[in-house]
Amino acid sequence: MAIALRAQGLSKRFGGLKAVDEVTLQLAEGQILGLIGPNGAGKSTCFSMLAGSTPPTAGRVFLGETEITGLPAFRAARAGVVRTHQIVRPFANLTLFENALVAAVQCAGRDHAGARALALEALDFAGLSARQHQYPAGLTLAGRKRLEMARALACNPRVLLLDEVIAGVNPAEAQEMATLILRIRDERKVSIIMTEHVMAAVMRLCEQVVVLDAGKLIASGVPREIVQNPEVISAYLGKKHEH
C-alpha cells in the first residue's frame, strides 16, 4: 500500500525537555490514523512537526517520496499537508467565505476564479454554504470547527491533520463531525491523521492507532488491540480502569 506521509525518528527538545522522542509512524493512502495519548504526551508537538509549524530537533518527514522536513507550515500546506488547530481562531473580521478564500489563495495554487470555486466547494462540503456571508462570531463551537475543516479543505490537501475536532461538541454534533471526516477520506481521497480525546470517535473512525506517552511511542495497532493493551490503559486511562 502506498504511503501518504511518514515520520522517521522524529524528536523535539525544548531545552532539557524531550517533548517528542524518536517517533516513527506512517500513514497509508486512504487511511485514518489515530494519534492518542494523555495530556502532555507530545501529540500537539508531533502534529506541529508534521505540519511544519515547528521544526524537529531530529528526524525526517516525507510526503509520499518527497522529503518535507523543516518546511515552514505554508510550504508544507502547499505541498499537501494541512492541519486544523485545537483552538479554532478564524479571521473574525472576514466572512466564512472570505476565511475559506484566504486558505484557497494561500495554499492551493489556483487563480482567483479557481480559488473562489474551491472556497465555495469547501464550505458546501462542510455544510456551511448557506452561511457563507455571515461572520464566525455567529457560529457555535461545532460551527467554528466546521469552518476550520472548510478552511483546511480549501487548501486542497493530500494529508489532513485533525487536532481535536470532535472534543467539546455535543453527541449529535460529534456524530455529524465523524460522518464529515469519513466523507473527506472517501469522497475527497484525503488521508487523515487525527488526535482526539473522544475515544468512541477514535474507535469508530481509525483503522490504526498509535499511542504516545511522555513523548515516546508506546503502542501501535488496530483500535481493539490498543484499548486492551495494559501499557496504554495505565498511561492513557489511569490505573483505575485496569481490570
Side-chain angles (χ1 to χ4, degrees):
M1 187 177 282
I3 301 303
L5 186 75
R6 66 188 168 93
Q8 201 174 299
L10 214 53
S11 297
K12 183 65 181 179
R13 282 181 180 278
F14 295 103
L17 171 72
K18 245 190 176 176
V20 175
D21 192 359
E22 294 197 12
V23 168
T24 293
L25 57 81
Q26 61 182 33
L27 171 69
E29 282 190 1
Q31 185 181 52
I32 301 177
L33 176 71
L35 176 65
I36 68 170
N39 284 332
K43 304 183 299 294
S44 289
T45 305
C46 197
F47 252 46
S48 292
M49 289 190 288
L50 292 173
S53 315
T54 302
T57 307
R60 304 170 79 187
V61 182
F62 294 86
L63 176 63
E65 295 301 312
T66 307
E67 183 163 6
I68 60 167
T69 313
L71 280 188
F74 77 95
R75 291 199 184 280
R78 286 177 186 171
V81 181
V82 178
R83 70 168 294 182
T84 66
H85 290 270
Q86 187 179 341
I87 297 169
V88 184
R89 291 196 187 94
F91 297 112
N93 57 341
L94 300 182
T95 64
L96 272 54
F97 169 68
E98 289 164 341
N99 266 275
L101 182 61
V102 167
V105 167
Q106 289 296 318
C107 299
R110 305 282 180 94
D111 61 18
H112 190 63
R116 288 180 68 85
L118 191 56
L120 283 171
E121 184 198 352
L123 285 171
D124 187 46
F125 199 90
L128 292 171
S129 57
R131 308 184 71 166
Q132 62 175 288
H133 300 303
Q134 296 176 19
Y135 290 87
L139 297 175
T140 61
L141 175 62
R144 292 199 302 279
K145 286 180 181 255
R146 280 180 176 273
L147 176 59
E148 185 80 347
M149 301 278 265
R151 291 201 302 177
L153 290 174
C155 296
N156 211 23
R158 288 165 55 190
V159 171
L160 189 53
L161 307 175
L162 299 177
D163 194 354
E164 304 261 349
V165 293
I166 295 177
V169 302
N170 71 40
E173 292 163 341
Q175 196 76 24
E176 289 170 3
M177 193 63 80
T179 301
L180 179 60
I181 291 167
L182 288 171
R183 285 184 57 222
I184 290 169
R185 193 269 308 268
D186 296 338
E187 295 174 30
R188 298 183 77 103
K189 307 302 180 205
V190 176
S191 309
I192 295 170
I193 302 180
M194 59 185 293
T195 175
E196 189 59 68
H197 279 301
V198 181
M199 284 304 292
V202 173
M203 295 293 289
R204 177 186 165 193
L205 295 171
C206 301
E207 290 105 330
Q208 287 282 122
V209 178
V210 294
V211 187
L212 292 185
D213 186 34
K216 288 184 180 293
L217 200 151
I218 61 166
S220 172
V222 297
R224 67 176 178 276
E225 293 169 358
I226 290 297
V227 294
Q228 293 168 353
N229 180 313
E231 204 178 345
V232 174
I233 291 167
S234 78
Y236 191 75
L237 300 174
K239 302 285 183 194
K240 68 180 186 295
H241 290 271
E242 291 183 13
H243 302 297

